[in-house]
Amino acid sequence: MKKMSLLGPLELEVMKVVWECEDVAVADVVARVQSPRKLHHNTVMTVMKRLADKGFLEQYSRDGRSKGYRARISREALGQQYVDLLREQFFQGSTGDAIAAFLGKDKVTPKQLARLQKLLGEVE
């Protein structure tokens, strides 16, 4: 899949609902999107159409009348694109510096630490 642009805040909220539900109509998203403001059906429909035009969503006919939407990119794949962009733009391509920044002062659980150690072992 081609490199995609970053999402705006409302686009990301819509994608989170789509990833959670897997197969949605605009009304489903209107009911579930977490926004501090009340969103109108037409606003969400426009956002979803734009996401489909950009290649993030796939639109299909559900029952001949209503349209359904599915994600064309997984949360993990899009997250990886964000991480890659961050690593390239802020850390001059240094994975080690990016990992150190991600860890920062956060507590790492034993499970997360085991996963990191496994990944590091695979890189060696």
Side-chain angles (χ1 to χ4, degrees), residues 19-96:
W19 286 320
E20 180 183 310
C21 298
E22 295 181 12
D23 178 15
V24 296
V26 173
D28 301 325
V29 176
V30 171
R32 293 174 185 234
V33 75
Q34 300 296 312
S35 177
R37 61 184 187 186
K38 179 164 173 33
L39 295 174
H40 295 282
H41 186 274
N42 287 346
T43 301
V44 175
M45 183 172 58
T46 299
V47 169
M48 292 179 78
K49 170 120 178 46
R50 287 186 183 152
L51 287 167
D53 291 344
K54 292 177 181 181
F56 290 98
L57 295 178
E58 172 188 9
Q59 183 183 59
Y60 65 96
S61 177
R62 281 181 134 178
D63 55 19
R65 289 182 28 156
S66 66
K67 293 183 174 124
Y69 291 87
R70 288 183 275 244
R72 292 190 69 212
I73 184 170
S74 70
R75 172 178 266 181
E76 294 76 19
L78 185 59
Q80 186 62 55
Q81 287 187 15
Y82 272 79
V83 169
D84 291 346
L85 181 66
L86 186 67
R87 186 184 67 232
E88 291 303 318
Q89 290 188 353
F90 287 93
F91 301 104
Q92 292 74 44
S94 171
T95 300

